């Protein structure tokens, strides 16, 4: 009976294959150790657990009712305080919009900003939701790839995400009168690159010259290792009025299932993004927003002192990153040490494995990850999934590993890698 229905929306054509479902199912079938999916399997930090307990034990009946459509008041005020140092005074009620995770923020933005035919510049490799969201909104993705400037064996004992560079002449050549927007991910997923102030100034100069909106996905802003420093592109001259900054409580507090995100920007842009939010989700969980507000207030009060969870998080991430990088190198994988975020990529060209049983029509990294999952019991994510069809060849010699995992998970991974 269903086959007699009229065709579904053409704009969703090609969106049904999902890398997370595909490799998640393979991991479950094989019971493989999971260094693929981007969530910590460690206990939630005390700062958010205490906040959640406080809210659920509250006698405030409104905590169980609809929140304000434009965000729970306590949360938007807390976020305005948090970002004051970099962005100046923000109006919490007109310049900040809480959402159901950063994913919801990105969807709201693409739907609110893009008209059919508008071009959107995407810096690759980039998170795999960017391109489909642009296409669903009727936009045309234009891809510009970062490239590693140092290869294994070129005299460097340690490769890092800082070695991945943009050619700014190439980047500007992607802009024209049809360009409406650029999406920047800083720190970058999957590489872990933290853009320098100099690089951000170059991107800002291009945005201003071509009068485009900049969407800055900064969900990993609190997970940046020294000496790198996270700078908000919206803080640069001429950029706040054209930038929509996306943040995430899930990443900030290592609780990805909480699904609270936010968009920060000028009122005239937030107004349009909020209109989509109102028609899509309308209202975000009151209880979760209140808990995140308490956690943010606590972190602001703690500053960079010893009680700061974000200080502890950065140190934890560095220790886990360095441990995994060492494990990967010992197994013949050249790890590119990440400056920020949960992930690092590893060059697989040093591997000598038999892939004859894998589907040879798939990119090399897909074959390697499937072989590794089925034969070795360890899973990761193929990096070419973060590239457009035309540029997949640039990513297929890398695979992405998540290092924000428990010691138990890393112990299991180390055992596998030692017996590679």
């Amino acid at each position: 009976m269903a086959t007699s229905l009229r065709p579904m929306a053409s704009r969703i054509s090609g969106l049904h294959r999902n890398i997370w479902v595909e490799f998640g199912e393979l991991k479950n079938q094989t019971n493989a150790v999971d260094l693929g999916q981007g969530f910590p399997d460690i206990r939630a930090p005390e700062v958010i657990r205490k906040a959640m307990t406080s809210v659920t034990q509250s006698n405030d009946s409104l905590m169980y009712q609809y929140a304000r459509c434009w965000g729970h008041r306590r949360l938007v005020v807390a976020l305005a305080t948090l970002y004051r140092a970099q962005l100046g005074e923000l109006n919490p009620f007109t310049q900040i919009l809480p959402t159901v995770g950063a994913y919801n923020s990105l969807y709201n933005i693409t739907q609110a900003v893009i008209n059919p035919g508008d071009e959107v510049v995407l810096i690759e490799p980039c998170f795999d939701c960017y391109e489909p969201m642009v296409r669903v909104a009727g936009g045309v993705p234009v891809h510009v790839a970062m490239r590693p400037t140092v290869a294994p064996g070129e005299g460097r004992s340690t490769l890092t995400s800082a070695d991945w560079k943009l050619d700014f002449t190439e980047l500007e050549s992607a802009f024209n009168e049809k360009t409406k927007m650029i999406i920047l991910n800083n720190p970058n997923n999957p590489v872990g690159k933290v853009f320098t102030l100099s690089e951000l100034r170059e991107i800002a100069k291009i945005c201003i010259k071509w009068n485009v909106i900049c969407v800055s996905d900064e969900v990993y802003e609190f997970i940046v290792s020294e000496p790198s420093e996270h700078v908000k592109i919206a803080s640069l001259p001429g950029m706040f009025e054209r930038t929509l900054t996306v943040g995430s409580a899930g990443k900030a507090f290592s609780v990805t299932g909480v699904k609270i995100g936010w968009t920060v920007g000028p009122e005239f842009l937030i107004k349009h993004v909020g209109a989509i939010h109102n028609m899509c989700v309308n209202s975000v969980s009151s209880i979760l927003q209140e808990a995140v507000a308490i956690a943010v207030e606590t972190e602001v009060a703690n500053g960079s002192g010893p009680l700061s969870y974000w200080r502890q998080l950065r140190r934890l991430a560095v220790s886990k990153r360095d441990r995994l990088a060492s494990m990967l190198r010992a197994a013949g994988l050249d790890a590119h040490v990440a400056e920020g975020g949960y992930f690092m990529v590893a060059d697989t060209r040093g591997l000598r494995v038999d892939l004859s049983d894998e589907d040879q029509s798939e990119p090399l990294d897909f074959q390697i990850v499937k072989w590794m999952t089925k034969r070795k019991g360890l899973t990761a994510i193929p990096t070419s999934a973060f590239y457009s069809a035309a540029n997949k060849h640039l990513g297929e010699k890398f695979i992405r590993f998540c290092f924000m995992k428990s010691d138990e998970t890393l112990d299991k991974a180390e055992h596998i890698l030692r017996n590679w």
Side-chain angles (χ1 to χ4, degrees):
M1 181 176 177
T3 56
S4 65
L5 294 175
R6 294 181 181 179
M8 296 297 101
S10 59
R11 63 181 175 275
I12 66 169
S13 176
L15 300 185
H16 295 89
R17 185 178 186 182
N18 184 297
I19 188 74
W20 313 108
V21 173
E22 180 178 355
F23 282 89
E25 289 179 350
L26 182 60
K27 184 265 296 184
N28 291 335
Q29 291 166 9
T30 58
N31 198 31
V33 176
D34 187 3
L35 297 187
Q37 299 280 354
F39 59 84
D41 59 352
I42 54 182
R43 193 181 189 198
E46 183 180 33
V47 64
I48 196 73
R49 287 187 285 110
K50 288 179 69 174
M52 293 285 286
T53 300
S54 171
V55 177
T56 57
Q57 293 180 349
S58 169
N59 292 322
D60 185 351
S61 62
L62 292 180
M63 286 297 100
Y64 295 87
Q65 308 306 326
Y66 293 129
R68 172 178 171 267
C69 174
W70 291 78
H72 183 55
R73 288 178 176 272
R74 186 171 183 177
L75 178 56
V76 293
V77 169
L79 292 171
T81 303
L82 172 66
Y83 290 130
R84 183 182 296 141
Q86 282 208 53
L87 299 180
E89 291 295 332
L90 295 169
N91 185 325
F93 306 113
T94 62
Q95 294 182 316
I96 301 174
L97 178 67
T99 56
V100 184
Y103 227 85
N104 183 205
S105 287
L106 292 165
Y107 181 81
N108 291 342
I109 291 168
T110 52
Q111 290 294 316
V113 171
I114 299 171
N115 284 316
D118 285 343
E119 294 185 1
V120 179
V121 175
L122 304 178
I123 298 172
E124 294 184 310
C126 60
F127 194 50
D128 68 324
C129 75
Y130 295 171
E131 179 174 341
M133 285 188 181
V134 168
R135 291 192 182 280
V136 166
V140 179
V142 178
H143 303 91
V144 179
M146 294 189 294
R147 291 175 173 81
T149 53
V150 180
E154 291 188 358
R156 286 270 299 279
S157 59
T158 301
L159 305 174
T160 78
S161 58
D163 296 318
W164 290 67
K165 303 286 188 181
L166 271 173
D167 179 329
F168 289 104
T169 301
E170 180 184 4
L171 178 64
E172 184 163 6
S173 71
F175 286 71
N176 58 58
E177 65 280 355
K178 295 181 180 179
T179 308
K180 186 71 163 290
M181 189 167 81
I182 181 174
I183 302 180
L184 170 70
N185 185 199
N186 183 31
N188 171 273
N189 173 13
V191 172
K193 178 181 175 63
V194 176
F195 288 85
T196 66
L197 177 58
S198 174
E199 289 171 325
L200 292 174
R201 283 173 172 160
E202 289 294 328
I203 295 170
K205 183 168 67 175
I206 296 169
C207 289
I208 292 169
K209 176 179 178 179
W210 290 97
N211 193 30
V212 302
I213 292 169
C214 177
V215 177
S216 190
D217 179 353
E218 301 180 5
V219 297
Y220 299 105
E221 62 183 303
F222 301 107
I223 316 171
V224 173
S225 62
E226 295 180 344
S228 299
E229 180 182 358
H230 181 263
V231 176
K232 291 186 173 298
I233 194 168
S235 69
L236 301 185
M239 286 303 292
F240 180 79
E241 58 265 34
R242 66 178 66 254
T243 302
L244 290 163
T245 303
V246 175
S248 165
K251 298 303 192 296
F253 295 106
S254 305
V255 284
T256 59
V258 166
K259 293 298 288 183
I260 296 293
W262 49 82
T263 309
V264 180
E267 181 177 352
F268 76 94
L269 289 179
I270 292 292
K271 175 178 69 175
H272 299 299
V273 175
I276 295 295
H277 181 73
N278 187 37
M279 293 297 103
C280 179
V281 172
N282 182 267
S283 178
V284 182
S285 166
S286 299
I287 289 176
L288 295 178
Q289 287 190 84
E290 176 78 359
V292 171
I294 294 170
V296 170
E297 290 168 356
T298 302
E299 283 303 294
V300 170
N302 287 337
S304 59
L307 296 179
S308 168
Y309 171 66
W310 289 333
R311 179 184 179 185
Q312 297 167 24
L313 176 61
R314 287 189 290 271
R315 291 179 174 178
L316 180 67
V318 167
S319 67
K320 291 182 178 296
R321 177 201 69 184
D322 291 349
R323 181 185 178 189
L324 181 58
S326 177
M327 290 157 49
L328 293 172
R329 291 191 197 103
L333 292 155
D334 286 299
H336 290 222
V337 177
E339 301 160 278
Y342 285 172
F343 312 105
M344 72 176 85
V345 297
D347 194 316
T348 63
R349 283 177 286 183
L351 286 182
R352 297 294 180 265
V353 297
D354 181 5
L355 300 175
S356 58
D357 290 338
E358 302 304 323
D359 183 351
Q360 302 298 303
S361 68
E362 291 195 309
L364 179 61
D365 55 338
F366 274 71
Q367 296 180 49
I368 291 174
V369 172
K370 289 181 177 180
W371 169 86
M372 187 171 70
T373 305
K374 292 181 288 188
R375 298 296 183 89
K376 298 297 181 179
L378 178 65
T379 194
I381 296 294
T383 303
S384 66
F386 300 88
Y387 285 86
S388 59
N391 286 335
K392 284 194 181 297
H393 66 283
L394 297 175
E396 67 175 348
K397 56 180 171 286
F398 299 99
I399 53 179
R400 190 198 79 168
F401 291 89
C402 178
F403 52 79
M404 278 299 291
K405 298 293 183 179
S406 67
D407 288 342
E408 180 183 5
T409 298
L410 292 177
D411 287 344
K412 292 177 181 177
E414 183 171 25
H415 177 75
I416 293 169
L417 290 167
R418 277 182 175 176
N419 295 281
W420 197 254

